[in-house]
Amino acid sequence: MLEGKNIIVGICGSIAAYKSAMLVRLLVKAGANVQVVMTPDAAEFITPLTLSTLSKNPVHINYFDRSTGEWDNHVALALWGDIFLIAPATANTLAKMANGLCDNLLTAIYLSAKCPVYFAPAMDLDMWKHPATVQNVAKLQAYGNILIPAGTGELASGLYGEGRMAEPEEIVALLSDQLKKKLPLADIKILVTAGPTFEAIDPVRFIGNHSSGKMGFAIADELAHRGADVTLIAGPTSQTLKNPAIKLVNVTTAAEMLEACTHYYPQHTACIMSAAVADYTPVTVAPQKIKKQDAVLNIELTKTTDILKTLGESKRDDQLLIGFALETEKEEEYAVEKLRKKNLDLIILNSMNDEGAGFKGDTNKITIIDKHLQKTIFTLKTKTEVARDICEKVIQLLNP
């Protein structure tokens, strides 16, 4: 959720400033761009060099650098930020923010900020409970600022109680959750399948196909990026997850994929079946490696269960089911037939006759057909871009 976000981290003069080093590190690790702003007193508790190293950016402290004659433009920095996070926020800084005082760079940026402002208080128990602090916090919340509640525990004074700054891991998790709630697919559970299936002939050989899993993994990643809770059922593939929030279920055979799909689909709002599931599987699997002896080897095959059709038969009115059709002839005719027979909401057609489409490559060319036979034709794009187009269609269907 934080990847690519511009986050201003404001640090005030508190012993809790030591936690800010870990906070900055976690934000950078999550993919955020971080600029640190310190009050002059904060530099007495933790060095700007530490925070500059961790954030990979110069630290901002003063309006004006007398050694260089340069002015630190607080307005430009405020406009840069997607989030302004003040942690730790002392009683002194909270009072200034609540009453519009602006005697340092941090408070100047606060008054100029148009982005959401989060503040994580840090102070002793009696200061936190003082009516003035309580009133200032209430005023800041009334202004639209977001409180990250103070924790309870041992304080720097030796007392035990409320007032300690939230832990860095808690702050990062809260920011991620807040951002996720604003996304179009927030908390919607979506099931995705990807890759091929391998149907064993003997312990070392199998029947498979050329599916790389790239399309399914790209779809799962894009859905998660838009806030969905994604479960990805993947056949044998070398692809790896970019988003650790995606639940990965590994399978090998068509039978295993069927079992996983029928287990997970009832708990999900939508399912996108991009896996290339084998249509046939050997009737028997040799217990030992088959030796090359005869000029001809005959293997008896039997049809696998049609997973897409099985899910379509159990699909509820509140669920979506989306399938893929990779065709080599009569592409649109076969895709529409599949759409109707399998009770799908969308069919995503790609043709092996289109250069750059199909298995293994990094590009694809699709046509999306809905159950009303309205079709949208797309140009050749990267699979990441194709995944975005598919997700836009899913959002339209879920939020008409």
Side-chain angles (χ1 to χ4, degrees), residues 191 193 196-197 199 233-235 249-266 271 273 275 277-278 281 303-314:
L191 182 65
T193 66
T197 65
E199 310 303 317
I233 301 172
V249 179
N250 291 303
V251 298
T252 301
T253 67
E256 291 171 350
M257 186 166 285
L258 171 65
E259 182 181 1
C261 287
T262 53
H263 172 75
Y264 285 103
Y265 185 45
C271 176
M273 289 283 296
V277 183
T281 188
K303 284 185 71 173
T304 59
T305 302
D306 190 325
I307 300 175
L308 197 54
K309 184 178 179 183
T310 301
L311 297 184
E313 290 170 349
S314 66

Side-chain angles (χ1 to χ4, degrees), residues 242-322:
K242 295 179 181 178
N243 191 322
I246 296 171
K247 179 179 180 179
L248 178 63
V249 179
N250 291 303
V251 298
T252 301
T253 67
E256 291 171 350
M257 186 166 285
L258 171 65
E259 182 181 1
C261 287
T262 53
H263 172 75
Y264 285 103
Y265 185 45
Q267 297 95 47
H268 289 72
T269 301
C271 176
I272 302 175
M273 289 283 296
S274 68
V277 183
D279 294 321
Y280 292 89
T281 188
V283 172
T284 59
V285 179
Q288 303 296 331
K289 178 182 176 183
I290 300 171
K291 297 299 182 180
K292 185 169 65 174
Q293 294 176 343
D294 299 330
V296 176
L297 174 64
N298 293 315
I299 300 173
E300 186 180 1
L301 303 177
T302 184
K303 284 185 71 173
T304 59
T305 302
D306 190 325
I307 300 175
L308 197 54
K309 184 178 179 183
T310 301
L311 297 184
E313 290 170 349
S314 66
K315 180 166 72 82
R316 303 189 306 266
D317 291 341
D318 63 340
Q319 287 181 303
L320 294 179
L321 185 58
I322 299 166

Side-chain angles (χ1 to χ4, degrees), residues 114-325:
K114 291 182 170 62
C115 61
V117 177
Y118 294 78
F119 62 101
M123 63 198 73
D124 206 64
L125 172 64
D126 295 327
M127 297 174 71
W128 176 242
K129 294 296 185 182
H130 194 281
T133 304
V134 172
Q135 184 178 26
N136 288 334
V137 170
K139 285 175 72 174
L140 288 173
Q141 289 180 288
Y143 295 158
N145 303 299
I146 302 159
L147 168 67
I148 299 175
T152 299
E154 185 177 352
L155 304 171
S157 64
L159 299 175
Y160 185 93
E162 191 176 4
R164 58 186 290 158
M165 175 180 147
E167 296 304 316
E169 294 83 358
E170 296 171 344
I171 294 173
V172 172
L174 184 144
L175 291 179
S176 296
D177 288 344
Q178 291 279 322
L179 289 171
K180 184 176 179 180
K181 289 175 183 177
K182 298 176 182 179
L183 296 174
L185 295 175
D187 298 325
I188 294 176
K189 293 185 176 183
I190 301 181
L191 182 65
V192 180
T193 66
T197 65
F198 288 174
E199 310 303 317
I201 297 171
D202 62 22
V204 298
R205 300 182 181 91
F206 61 85
I207 296 172
N209 57 60
H210 295 298
S211 175
S212 65
K214 289 180 180 179
M215 192 71 256
F217 273 72
I219 291 169
D221 186 61
E222 186 64 25
L223 290 169
H225 186 67
R226 294 170 185 244
D229 291 335
V230 180
T231 299
L232 175 62
I233 301 172
T237 173
S238 62
Q239 303 302 307
T240 56
L241 290 176
K242 295 179 181 178
N243 191 322
I246 296 171
K247 179 179 180 179
L248 178 63
V249 179
N250 291 303
V251 298
T252 301
T253 67
E256 291 171 350
M257 186 166 285
L258 171 65
E259 182 181 1
C261 287
T262 53
H263 172 75
Y264 285 103
Y265 185 45
Q267 297 95 47
H268 289 72
T269 301
C271 176
I272 302 175
M273 289 283 296
S274 68
V277 183
D279 294 321
Y280 292 89
T281 188
V283 172
T284 59
V285 179
Q288 303 296 331
K289 178 182 176 183
I290 300 171
K291 297 299 182 180
K292 185 169 65 174
Q293 294 176 343
D294 299 330
V296 176
L297 174 64
N298 293 315
I299 300 173
E300 186 180 1
L301 303 177
T302 184
K303 284 185 71 173
T304 59
T305 302
D306 190 325
I307 300 175
L308 197 54
K309 184 178 179 183
T310 301
L311 297 184
E313 290 170 349
S314 66
K315 180 166 72 82
R316 303 189 306 266
D317 291 341
D318 63 340
Q319 287 181 303
L320 294 179
L321 185 58
I322 299 166
F324 272 69

